[in-house]
């Protein structure tokens, strides 16, 4: 478990690793990027809060994409 700052650190490490690892397609290097969204909070009722946390993470990912792609958005 981590907070929004920790989630941002992990997400940024993943984003940089993906960006630095082009894929090879028919002998050509193709640059790829990733947008990552994360949401953190201490759940009051884990069974009910799981769906809400997934939805918040999904919204964070779309905010990252709307901000220009190849970005992260971590909220709490």
């Amino acid at each position: 478990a981590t907070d929004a700052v920790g989630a941002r650190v992990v997400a940024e490490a993943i984003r940089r690793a993906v960006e630095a690892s082009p894929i090879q397609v028919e002998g050509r290097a193709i640059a790829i990027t990733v947008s990552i969204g994360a949401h953190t909070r201490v759940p009051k009722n884990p069974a009910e809060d799981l769906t809400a946390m997934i939805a918040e993470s999904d919204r964070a990912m779309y905010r990252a994409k709307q901000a220009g792609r190849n970005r992260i958005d971590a909220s709490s």
Side-chain angles (χ1 to χ4, degrees), residues 23-53:
I23 60 173
Q24 297 293 320
V25 177
E26 297 178 358
R28 297 176 59 204
I30 307 293
I32 58 173
T33 62
V34 62
S35 294
I36 301 172
H39 179 73
T40 61
R41 70 176 157 151
V42 177
K44 293 181 176 112
N45 182 341
E48 292 176 10
D49 287 348
L50 179 60
T51 300
M53 289 183 71

Side-chain angles (χ1 to χ4, degrees), residues 1-73:
T2 190
D3 59 10
V5 173
R8 185 174 291 281
V9 169
V10 171
E12 181 62 20
I14 293 168
R15 189 199 65 74
R16 286 178 189 235
V18 169
E19 184 178 44
S21 304
I23 60 173
Q24 297 293 320
V25 177
E26 297 178 358
R28 297 176 59 204
I30 307 293
I32 58 173
T33 62
V34 62
S35 294
I36 301 172
H39 179 73
T40 61
R41 70 176 157 151
V42 177
K44 293 181 176 112
N45 182 341
E48 292 176 10
D49 287 348
L50 179 60
T51 300
M53 289 183 71
I54 291 170
E56 288 295 333
S57 294
D58 193 49
R59 282 191 279 276
M61 187 239 347
Y62 282 104
R63 283 193 304 269
K65 286 181 173 290
Q66 290 173 351
R69 300 186 183 252
N70 193 30
R71 299 182 189 271
I72 58 170
D73 185 296

